[in-house]
């Protein structure tokens, strides 16, 4: 086996992993960064999920480096895309004019910007990116990870493991989408619902349900053009066509489903290429969740933003309720690949239903002009490369954030709990999709919240840090902490913590326990553009 070493190993190249690597690199450290899929960026790119962000994102409430990512995306469009002059002059350009975010864009643009952010460090030799590689094993000495075994995603052909790489580093950051390093290293963790007795959360069940997790989704991009672009009928289409969760109010493949905030059964509309004015789209989930017309909900290219003829059609991203896979979790089960394959079949079945049987507003059925845009998402089968996994394994942390720490119903006008060891901020409603245990949506209004350092530190392990959705949240609060800017902030704080500990020859536990060290670390974060507190704003 080949052995490599660095100051830090970051396993997982999603948003948290990229942010962690950048924080370490800015601090002068060497980094090995691994990623299982062909694109860095995780939910923003390989999973094809436009950014879910809070209402104040253009002014405050994100880190400086996350803002640099957003600014870079807009600059990339202005430098390389045939925007109309009106769109080019739009300071808060929203290329897709989607309702879900003030910055809906094509995944490849984020890939390009992330690669540009990392490029100087690759050139200097301080960053080595192993791609596509995933962790397959680890060596542990007591409460320290001493090495991680990495294997090429596609194998070396003979199955004997001689193509594996052993990575050694003083600090190991788990930035995988499912907390893959936690079981490999014996780090204590939880999955699914904790019990109300353990957490005291109003929305928690009486007993723990570790295998009850949020649905995963396999997203895909479509446009609508002349011609018949109907895909082959998926093998499991007849199953999914008749599939009806008991709380859904109709079949899963329909325009009807529960409203997440009220659970009232509502009917959504679908109007391809409505020709709307992108500047009039109100992308503010505080005012409107934006999912009334599914076409514009997560639209990533609005053709009216581009010169005539540049785009035949809008492009929209299908991350809609009907693609949520409820038949089983993909974590700590013997057959995760089977469930992931079935989730992909569900998404293909949704597309086939849209093309052939979906009720049209004009009384007809089916939209054969819908065209799968696998070239936009980069997936070999036309879908996103990676599944969107909303809920990870989560460390047993020094601090676990609970529902009553941020719920508006509990906190009222006091705002979320303020942590003395804050290492960042975030804001999103507690937004839990239907789960593998048969639960409906759980959607709770939140106060703008902080990220406590204690949520990034395992109770026992001393050199393993979470840097994605595997921090110290519960099943419930993960619904607010899992979104793009919060994941980035958590990863950035984890990377900065590892760099600080290397510089001071100390440990994460000591930083949190020592008032002087904690103040120095927080000062370092603020210097680097990490906001630790919110101004006086009200949640939603």
């Amino acid at each position: 086996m080949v052995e490599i070493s660095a100051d830090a190993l970051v396993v997982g190249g999603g948003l948290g992993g990229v942010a962690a690597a950048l924080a370490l690199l800015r601090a002068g450290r060497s980094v090995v960064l691994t990623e299982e899929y062909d694109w860095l960026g995780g939910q923003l790119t390989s999973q094809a999920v436009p950014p879910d962000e809070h209402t104040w994102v253009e002014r405050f409430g994100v880190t400086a480096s996350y803002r640099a990512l957003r600014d870079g995306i807009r600059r990339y469009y202005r430098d390389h895309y045939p925007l109309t002059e009106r769109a080019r002059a739009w300071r808060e350009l929203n290329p897709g004019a989607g309702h879900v975010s003030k910055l809906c864009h094509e995944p490849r643009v984020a890939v390009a910007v992330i690669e540009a952010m990392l490029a100087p460090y690759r050139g200097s030799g301080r960053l080595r990116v192993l791609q596509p590689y995933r962790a397959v094993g680890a060596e542990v000495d007591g409460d320290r990870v001493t090495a991680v075994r990495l294997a090429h995603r596609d194998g070396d052909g003979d199955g004997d493991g001689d193509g594996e790489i052993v990575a050694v580093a003083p600090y190991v950051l788990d930035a995988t989408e499912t907390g893959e390093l936690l079981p490999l290293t014996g780090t204590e963790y939880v999955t699914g619902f904790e019990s109300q007795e353990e957490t005291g959360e109003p929305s928690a069940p009486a007993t723990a349900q570790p295998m009850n997790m949020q649905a995963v989704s396999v997203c895909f991009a479509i446009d609508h053009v002349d011609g018949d672009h109907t895909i082959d009928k998926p093998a499991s289409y007849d199953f999914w066509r008749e599939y009806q969760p008991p709380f859904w109010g109709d079949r899963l493949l329909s325009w009807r489903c529960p409203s997440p905030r009220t659970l009232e059964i509502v009917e959504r509309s679908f109007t391809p290429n409505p020709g709307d004015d992108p500047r009039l789209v109100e992308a503010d989930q505080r005012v409107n969740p934006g999912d009334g017309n599914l076409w514009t909900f997560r639209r990533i290219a609005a053709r009216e933003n581009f010169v005539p003829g540049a785009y035949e059609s809008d492009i929209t991203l299908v991350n809609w309720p009907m693609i949520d896979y409820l038949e089983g979790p993909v974590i700590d089960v013997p057959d995760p690949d089977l469930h992931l394959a079935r989730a992909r079949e569900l998404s293909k079945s949704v597309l086939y239903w849209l093309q052939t049987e979906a009720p049209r507003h004009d009384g007809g059925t089916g939209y054969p002009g819908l065209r799968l845009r696998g070239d936009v998402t980069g997936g070999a089968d036309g879908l996103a490369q990676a599944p969107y996994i909303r809920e990870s394994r989560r460390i047993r942390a020094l601090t676990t954030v609970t529902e009553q720490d941020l719920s508006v119903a509990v906190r009222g006008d006091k705002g979320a709990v303020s942590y003395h060891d804050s290492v960042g901020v975030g804001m999103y409603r507690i937004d839990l999709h239907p789960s593998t245990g048969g639960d409906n949506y759980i959607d709770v209004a939140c106060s703008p919240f902080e990220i406590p350092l204690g949520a990034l530190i395992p109770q026992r392990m001393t050199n393993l840090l979470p840097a994605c959705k595997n921090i110290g949240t519960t099943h419930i609060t993960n619904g607010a902490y899992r979104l793009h800017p919060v994941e980035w902030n958590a990863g950035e704080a984890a990377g900065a913590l590892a760099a600080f500990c290397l510089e001071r020859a100390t440990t994460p536990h000591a930083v949190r326990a020592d008032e002087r060290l904690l103040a120095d670390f927080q000062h370092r974060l603020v210097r680097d553009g990490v906001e630790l507190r919110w101004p006086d704003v009200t949640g939603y």
Side-chain angles (χ1 to χ4, degrees):
M1 295 184 184
V2 176
E3 182 172 302
I4 60 176
S5 62
D7 292 327
L9 167 66
V10 180
V11 180
L15 289 177
V18 169
L22 284 168
L24 282 151
L25 293 161
R26 288 196 304 267
R29 295 296 168 178
S30 60
V31 176
V32 171
L33 173 65
T34 76
E35 170 52 34
E36 180 178 357
Y37 293 96
D38 294 341
W39 290 347
L40 297 174
Q43 58 179 320
L44 192 62
T45 61
S46 61
Q47 296 169 37
V49 181
D52 280 296
E53 300 170 327
H54 57 74
T55 189
W56 307 282
V57 67
E58 300 293 348
R59 294 186 290 150
F60 50 78
V62 297
T63 75
S65 62
Y66 185 80
R67 189 167 303 285
L69 170 65
R70 298 178 88 255
D71 291 345
I73 289 169
R74 285 181 169 137
R75 184 166 55 251
Y76 193 94
Y77 272 94
R78 291 191 173 99
D79 289 348
H80 300 288
Y81 276 70
L83 297 170
T84 65
E85 288 307 311
R86 185 169 182 253
R88 191 175 302 279
W90 187 5
R91 187 177 69 83
E92 296 178 0
L93 171 65
N94 190 347
H99 284 82
V100 74
S101 170
K102 298 177 188 296
L103 183 60
C104 290
H105 55 83
E106 296 175 42
R108 286 183 186 276
V109 177
V111 176
V113 175
I114 287 170
E115 290 287 359
M117 295 172 81
L118 294 172
Y121 304 108
R122 290 206 205 210
S124 70
R126 286 199 291 113
L127 171 64
R128 180 171 181 178
V129 180
L130 299 179
Q131 194 178 13
Y133 273 80
R134 58 189 300 268
V136 294
E139 297 175 18
V140 178
D141 182 6
D143 56 10
R144 289 186 60 81
V145 180
T146 57
V148 176
R149 293 199 334 272
L150 305 162
H152 195 283
R153 178 193 63 198
D154 304 324
D156 63 359
D158 56 15
D160 61 5
D162 62 6
E164 292 182 0
I165 295 174
V166 174
V168 177
Y171 279 90
V172 176
L173 281 69
D174 184 347
T176 63
E177 299 297 324
T178 56
E180 287 295 312
L181 287 185
L182 303 185
L184 292 178
T185 59
T187 301
E188 292 79 9
Y189 67 90
V190 295
T191 62
F193 260 122
E194 295 89 345
S195 70
Q196 191 172 85
E197 180 180 3
E198 178 183 355
T199 66
E201 294 174 303
S203 301
T207 59
Q209 300 171 9
M211 300 311 292
N212 188 1
M213 307 178 204
Q214 284 195 73
V216 303
S217 300
V218 179
C219 304
F220 57 94
I222 53 175
D223 61 9
H224 188 269
V225 295
D226 292 338
D228 186 343
H229 303 279
T230 305
I231 63 171
D232 293 337
K233 181 180 178 181
S236 59
Y237 178 71
D238 291 337
F239 171 83
W240 291 114
R241 184 180 182 275
E242 300 304 320
Y243 186 84
Q244 181 169 338
F247 52 82
W248 205 254
D250 205 334
R251 293 180 299 181
L252 186 68
L253 272 59
S254 71
W255 298 128
R256 289 167 53 80
C257 65
S259 167
R261 298 186 184 183
T262 67
L263 301 186
E264 174 190 4
I265 304 303
V266 297
E267 184 159 342
R268 290 176 168 84
S269 65
F270 181 71
T271 308
N273 295 319
D276 54 324
D277 184 345
R279 296 289 292 267
L280 298 181
V281 169
E282 188 173 31
D284 186 346
Q285 295 187 38
R286 176 180 54 175
V287 178
N288 177 8
D291 57 354
N293 180 358
L294 292 174
W295 181 268
T296 56
F297 180 33
R298 296 181 184 272
R299 183 172 53 186
I300 57 175
R303 61 179 176 178
E304 285 77 13
N305 272 330
F306 305 93
V307 298
Y311 279 71
E312 290 183 85
S313 164
D314 296 346
I315 303 173
T316 196
L317 203 290
V318 177
N319 179 14
W320 305 341
M322 61 187 73
I323 70 167
D324 285 0
Y325 177 78
L326 305 173
E327 285 292 280
V330 298
I331 294 173
D332 290 350
V333 293
D335 54 354
D337 290 342
L338 172 63
H339 285 300
L340 290 171
R342 294 190 69 192
R344 301 189 85 85
E345 274 284 297
L346 168 59
S347 291
K348 291 177 183 177
S349 295
V350 169
L351 174 60
Y352 186 77
W353 176 80
L354 289 168
Q355 292 172 321
T356 61
E357 294 193 75
R360 299 171 59 106
H361 66 279
D362 60 6
T365 56
Y367 295 84
L370 292 177
R371 179 173 59 173
L372 184 61
R373 292 298 303 270
D375 56 321
V376 170
T377 58
D381 60 356
L383 308 178
Q385 296 172 31
Y388 178 30
I389 298 177
R390 297 178 174 88
E391 183 175 341
S392 174
R393 300 175 179 92
R394 304 179 299 281
I395 64 166
R396 290 281 186 186
L398 296 183
T399 302
T400 300
V401 180
T402 61
E403 179 182 1
Q404 55 270 31
D405 291 345
L406 57 153
S407 163
V408 169
V410 175
R411 298 291 300 174
D413 59 6
K414 296 190 295 293
V417 168
S418 183
Y419 303 102
H420 77 284
D421 61 344
S422 173
V423 292
V425 298
M427 173 58 203
Y428 205 74
R429 291 175 66 93
I430 290 175
D431 171 21
L432 297 178
H433 281 232
S435 69
T436 59
D439 292 286
N440 205 338
Y441 290 98
I442 297 175
D443 194 288
V444 178
C446 284
S447 300
F449 52 80
E450 297 169 3
I451 305 170
L453 177 60
L456 303 185
I457 303 177
Q459 293 177 355
R460 181 179 62 85
M461 300 296 283
T462 58
N463 74 329
L464 176 71
L465 297 171
C468 193
K469 296 185 286 288
N470 49 353
I471 65 174
T473 58
T474 65
H475 169 85
I476 292 172
T477 55
N478 162 75
Y481 278 71
R482 66 181 169 84
L483 284 310
H484 302 65
V486 189
E487 180 190 328
W488 181 281
N489 194 152
E492 183 170 353
L497 178 61
F500 184 83
C501 289
L502 287 166
E503 177 186 322
R504 297 295 184 92
T506 188
T507 66
H509 290 79
V511 172
R512 184 172 182 270
D514 186 292
E515 187 175 322
R516 181 183 57 82
L517 281 175
L518 177 60
D520 286 351
F521 177 56
Q522 290 175 315
H523 175 75
R524 185 76 56 87
L525 291 174
V526 171
R527 182 202 68 186
D528 290 341
V530 177
E531 299 176 19
L532 305 186
R533 312 290 176 196
W534 281 95
D536 186 15
V537 290
T538 303
Y540 54 89

